[in-house]
């Protein structure tokens, strides 16, 4: 053994700070539960969800009858002939439910990090600290790792135990809400770091939660034992470790950094050593919307280019639904195909192109309009053509359409201009480049330069020529979804800070303001109608 390096080994001794409360949520038999919520008559039946030839998950009744994840359909039906099998190849409903859960979790923290479809980390430290009194419970909710009595557990000097206990109360409350409001049962792990919470959450499946305290960390890592169970240690890392005879957590703990330096860079070596001790200082990431929205469909082979449009249309309809739910406007389009190349190998390819957000006329829901749909299909076909042109024979077995570079609708982004008496509001909000607008002339029209620049040239000229002397302004901030009073443009209203909105409401009640606003709204309506022609 080579001598340890004290500075770095100092970092990996189990003395990390325990100031955080991190909950890992995992939905029980996710796809199967969603199917049961959608069809409650299935509740007492063994239910499996299949994709192609595999049962990708099943409810716990089916699991008791021998069904396991990714079991071949044939074997599953042999093991449990009464199994109700549901086709789960369309993942849209699962996505919808996953999003419902994420948005509920976001009520408790901005730090909500998705892990796959049905798992989320939530850093609830701030919520727990701010709601400490209401989370004080007589007893610890859920189970304690290894069924210990809290009284027998060595208490941590930093006082984090109480914070974690309150975190467990919160985890229970959240799980109850998910069940009541969305209909799904979940498991949860409560601890001070992501790794430990993730390792704890499946310990009492289904519909339960597990908490652990820092003094139990060594026991947890000893109990887990298998390196494969540590998230963040993937196949290639496992192979490298096994090449030097390391296959268990205990063996990894015995390594020193210099041993690991031979096969990993220093940062990776350090991270691995820390993980083996249950130390994970990665923070829960801030919630981030998906970077792209897409759907892929396996299809019966098609052998002529003329058949592509019909298939692409089906995929486009599905992805459109997701896009509308999301609400952001895409500015890139990608088409993927799986096909046989000229050597007869099945391969995948994709091509993408930029699209202008003006295509959607300010609202992504317009993707359903026949002419918009047709326009996008045309682009999809062009991309498909680029991929299939070199082929001697067409043999396509999958189509995918994905929209990317999604942008939030900007302030005024789909209203094109705003009522003049918003000028002060605009000045005070984050539209810093907006010029101050005079109060005097009610006939003034203010057009959003950014939106205008996205229009095709002919439309842009038409808009500009429709108004005597339009003033161009640039707005850059993005809006949150909020309620809007009847007499205001919702998109503009949504962009404003709460206090400004309150002021706005009172301003809009003044008769003089009302007339001006109404005038401007009329104008706004007409321009929108003009654009929707
Ligand atoms: P998991 O969380 O692994 O499983 P689960 O939620 O069904 O069951 P558990 O109670 O053990 O948490 O996966 C989440 C969903 O992902 C699952 O419902 C179906 C889907 N899935 C696949 O599509 N392919 C796969 O190979 C696996 C394992 C899951
Ligand atoms: Mg799950």
């Amino acid at each position: 053994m080579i001598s340890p390096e004290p500075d770095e080994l100092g970092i990996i001794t189990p003395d990390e700070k325990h100031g955080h409360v991190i909950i890992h949520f995992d939905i029980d038999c996710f796809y199967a539960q969603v199917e049961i919520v959608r069809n409650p008559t299935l509740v007492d039946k063994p239910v499996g969800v299949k994709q192609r030839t595999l049962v990708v998950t099943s409810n716990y009744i089916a699991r008791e009858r021998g069904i396991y994840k990714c079991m071949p359909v044939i074997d599953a039906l042999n093991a449990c002939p009464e199994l109700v099998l549901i086709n789960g190849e369309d993942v849209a409903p699962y996505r919808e439910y996953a999003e419902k859960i994420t948005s509920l979790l976001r009520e408790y923290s901005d730090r909500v990090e998705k892990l796959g479809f049905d798992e989320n980390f939530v850093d609830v430290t701030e919520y727990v600290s701010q709601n400490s009194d209401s989370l004080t419970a007589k007893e610890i909710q859920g189970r304690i790792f290894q069924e210990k009595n809290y009284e027998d557990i060595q208490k941590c000097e930093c006082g984090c135990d109480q914070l974690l206990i309150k975190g467990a109360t919160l985890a229970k409350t959240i799980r109850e809400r998910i069940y009541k409001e969305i209909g799904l049962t979940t498991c949860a792990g409560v601890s001070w770091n992501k790794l430990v919470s993730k390792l704890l959450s499946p310990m009492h499946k289904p519909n339960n939660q597990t908490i652990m305290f820092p003094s139990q960390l060594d026991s947890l890592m000893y109990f887990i034992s298998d390196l494969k169970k540590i998230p963040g240690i993937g196949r290639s890392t496992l192979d490298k470790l096994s090449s030097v005879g390391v296959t268990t957590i205990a063996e990894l703990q015995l390594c020193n950094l210099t041993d690991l330096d031979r096969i990993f860079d220093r940062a990776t070596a350090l991270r691995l050593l820390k993980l083996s001790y249950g130390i994970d200082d990665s923070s829960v990431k801030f919630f981030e919307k998906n970077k792209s929205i897409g759907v892929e469909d396996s299809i019966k082979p098609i052998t002529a280019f003329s058949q592509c449009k019909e298939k692409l249309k089906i995929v486009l309809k599905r992805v459109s639904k997701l896009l509308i739910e999301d609400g952001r406007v895409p500015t890139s389009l990608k088409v993927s195909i799986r096909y046989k190349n000229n050597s007869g190998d099945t391969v995948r390819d994709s091509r993408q192109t930029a699209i202008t957000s003006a295509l959607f006329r300010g609202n992504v829901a317009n993707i359903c309009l026949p002419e918009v749909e047709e326009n996008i299909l045309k682009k999809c076909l062009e991309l498909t053509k680029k991929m299939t042109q070199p082929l001697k024979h067409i043999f396509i077995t999958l189509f995918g359409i994905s929209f990317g570079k999604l942008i939030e609708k900007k302030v005024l982004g789909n209203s094109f201009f705003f009522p003049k008496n918003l000028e002060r509001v605009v000045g005070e909000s984050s539209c810093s480049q907006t010029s101050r607008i005079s109060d005097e002339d009610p006939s003034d029209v203010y057009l959003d330069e950014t939106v205008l620049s996205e229009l095709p040239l002919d439309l842009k000229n038409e808009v500009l020529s429709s108004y005597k002397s339009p003033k161009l302004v640039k707005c850059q901030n993005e809006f949150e979804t909020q309620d809007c009073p009847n007499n205001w443009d919702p998109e503009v209203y949504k962009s404003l800070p709460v206090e400004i909105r309150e002021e706005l409401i009172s301003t809009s009640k003044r008769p003089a303001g009302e007339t001006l606003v109404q005038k401007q709204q009329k104008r706004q309506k007409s321009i929108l109608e003009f654009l929707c022609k």
Side-chain angles (χ1 to χ4, degrees):
M1 287 266 266
I2 295 152
S3 60
E5 291 160 49
D7 278 358
E8 277 151 325
L9 281 184
I11 299 168
I12 62 152
T13 50
D15 63 352
E16 63 171 340
K17 293 195 175 61
H18 311 126
H20 283 265
V21 184
I22 292 172
I23 311 176
H24 174 261
F25 291 96
D26 184 343
I27 305 167
D28 298 320
C29 54
F30 181 37
Y31 289 9
Q33 270 208 93
V34 169
E35 294 303 344
I36 293 166
V37 172
R38 278 153 51 97
N39 177 4
T41 62
L42 299 173
V43 73
D44 52 358
K45 299 185 173 67
V47 176
V49 177
K50 80 176 175 84
Q51 286 178 342
R52 314 274 179 267
T53 56
L54 298 178
V55 180
V56 289
T57 195
S58 62
N59 65 353
Y60 280 76
I61 303 177
R63 291 186 197 190
E64 276 162 25
R65 298 186 196 176
I67 309 299
Y68 54 85
K69 282 182 205 168
C70 297
M71 190 178 195
V73 167
I74 296 174
D75 297 351
L77 288 172
N78 278 335
C80 178
E82 65 279 26
L83 184 69
V84 180
L85 265 182
I86 296 165
N87 189 324
E89 279 162 29
D90 178 1
V91 295
Y94 314 134
R95 195 192 304 267
E96 189 189 316
Y97 276 79
E99 274 167 18
K100 282 185 192 175
I101 302 244
T102 310
S103 77
L104 189 149
L105 296 177
R106 287 186 65 213
E107 291 179 31
Y108 296 89
S109 174
D110 286 338
R111 287 190 184 267
V112 175
E113 184 182 338
K114 282 189 85 153
L115 189 69
F117 238 10
D118 77 331
E119 294 178 43
N120 285 280
F121 288 109
V122 190
D123 186 330
V124 292
T125 315
E126 212 176 301
Y127 188 94
V128 168
S129 311
Q130 285 170 0
N131 297 276
S132 185
D133 291 346
S134 65
L135 292 168
T136 307
K138 286 198 191 86
E139 53 187 36
I140 296 174
Q141 297 297 323
R143 312 279 278 265
I144 300 178
F145 173 57
Q146 291 189 325
E147 312 303 327
K148 290 266 195 263
N149 282 322
Y150 180 60
E151 291 67 39
D152 301 332
I153 290 172
Q154 194 194 327
K155 308 296 177 288
C156 183
E157 282 173 12
C158 80
C160 64
D161 295 5
Q162 286 308 312
L163 214 56
L164 292 172
I165 290 171
K166 287 174 185 177
T169 310
L170 180 61
K172 179 88 188 303
T173 307
I174 295 175
R175 288 179 43 244
E176 282 171 356
R177 275 194 65 195
I178 294 175
Y179 183 63
K180 216 167 128 204
E181 294 171 31
I182 304 170
L184 304 177
T185 64
T186 51
C187 279
V190 183
S191 85
W192 62 97
N193 80 31
K194 282 161 70 177
L195 168 65
V196 173
S197 296
K198 162 97 177 138
L199 292 173
L200 291 175
S201 72
M203 282 192 181
H204 294 100
K205 281 184 177 190
N207 198 18
N208 212 331
Q209 63 183 64
T210 311
I211 185 175
M212 201 189 89
F213 300 94
S215 60
Q216 297 178 282
L217 188 56
D218 285 346
S219 314
L220 175 74
M221 299 321 284
Y222 179 77
F223 173 84
I224 297 290
S225 169
D226 187 352
L227 269 178
K228 286 202 279 294
K229 290 191 182 155
I230 297 192
I233 302 192
R235 184 72 264 157
S236 77
T237 307
L238 285 170
D239 288 346
K240 282 184 186 167
L241 285 170
S242 113
S243 73
V244 291
V246 175
T247 54
T248 66
I249 290 174
E251 283 165 352
L252 182 55
Q253 286 179 346
L254 285 175
C255 291
N256 63 36
L257 278 171
T258 323
D259 295 333
L260 296 175
D261 276 346
R262 293 196 199 110
I263 40 175
F264 300 106
D265 60 61
R266 176 50 63 98
T268 309
L270 202 55
R271 184 177 66 84
L272 290 172
L273 269 183
K274 282 184 172 190
L275 290 176
S276 74
Y277 284 104
I279 298 173
D280 176 10
D281 38 31
S282 66
S283 43
V284 177
K285 295 197 184 84
F286 284 101
F287 173 79
E288 221 183 321
K289 279 189 168 184
N290 295 337
K291 289 201 170 66
S292 64
I293 293 175
V295 163
E296 286 193 346
D297 247 355
S298 286
I299 48 169
K300 282 197 188 125
I302 59 169
T303 51
F305 188 77
S306 57
Q307 299 168 326
C308 291
K309 186 172 177 184
E310 188 196 335
K311 300 292 176 196
L312 281 164
K313 194 169 178 175
I314 295 168
V315 182
L316 181 61
K317 286 233 182 289
R318 287 181 53 203
V319 75
S320 297
K321 204 171 154 239
L322 300 178
L323 211 52
I324 293 166
E325 276 166 19
D326 182 272
R328 286 173 294 168
V329 177
T331 55
S332 89
L333 166 71
K334 183 165 90 174
V335 172
S336 313
I337 57 170
R338 185 176 60 207
Y339 63 101
K340 276 202 173 128
N341 65 15
N342 290 339
S343 319
D345 301 322
T346 300
V347 291
R348 289 177 70 115
D349 198 0
S350 63
R351 287 282 190 285
Q352 66 179 28
T353 183
I355 51 173
T356 166
S357 62
L359 191 68
F360 302 94
R361 299 165 182 183
N363 188 346
V364 75
N366 286 336
I367 196 168
C368 293
L369 297 177
E371 61 275 24
V372 179
E373 188 186 72
E374 195 58 32
N375 201 330
I376 294 172
L377 273 177
K378 203 172 130 208
K379 289 178 192 299
C380 289
L381 280 170
E382 280 162 15
L383 294 172
T384 308
K385 195 163 202 167
K386 280 188 188 153
M387 293 185 273
T388 53
Q389 234 154 16
L391 298 177
K392 284 186 205 135
H393 305 287
I394 285 183
F395 194 90
I396 300 174
T397 54
L398 175 142
F399 270 118
I401 298 178
S402 159
F403 289 98
K405 297 193 181 143
L406 301 150
I407 50 171
E408 300 282 357
K409 284 183 269 180
K410 298 195 175 96
V411 190
L412 320 178
N414 55 356
S415 62
F416 260 84
F417 74 102
F418 48 91
K420 249 173 53 112
N421 54 353
L422 270 181
E423 52 109 7
R424 183 174 50 79
V425 171
V426 170
E428 284 172 13
S429 71
S430 53
C431 301
S432 53
Q433 296 179 43
T434 305
S435 52
R436 190 111 182 139
I437 300 157
S438 96
D439 263 333
E440 286 10 289
D441 181 4
S443 65
D444 279 347
V445 172
Y446 301 95
L447 299 176
D448 180 359
E449 204 178 347
T450 316
V451 179
L452 206 61
S453 69
E454 285 172 346
L455 289 176
L457 196 62
D458 53 342
L459 200 52
K460 183 176 162 179
N461 290 337
E462 222 171 326
V463 170
L464 287 171
S465 64
S466 304
Y467 294 92
K468 227 166 70 189
S469 53
K471 290 184 171 56
L472 298 187
V473 292
K474 211 178 221 171
C475 256
Q476 290 188 324
N477 59 339
E478 297 177 348
F479 67 76
E480 301 283 330
T481 302
Q482 299 288 344
D483 292 332
C484 169
N486 290 339
N487 57 336
W488 286 95
D489 175 359
E491 304 308 333
V492 176
Y493 183 78
K494 282 174 198 166
S495 69
L496 307 170
V498 175
E499 66 276 19
I500 306 283
R501 268 182 253 141
E502 283 166 359
E503 272 187 53
L504 199 57
I505 292 167
S506 59
T507 316
S508 72
K509 281 175 186 155
R510 286 206 297 269
E514 213 166 79
T515 324
L516 187 59
V517 170
Q518 280 167 351
K519 269 187 188 170
Q520 296 283 20
Q521 280 184 329
K522 239 182 180 173
R523 200 183 278 265
Q524 177 175 350
K525 205 170 157 231
S526 67
I527 200 169
L528 284 176
E529 278 166 5
F530 164 75
L531 286 167
C532 289
K533 268 181 204 163

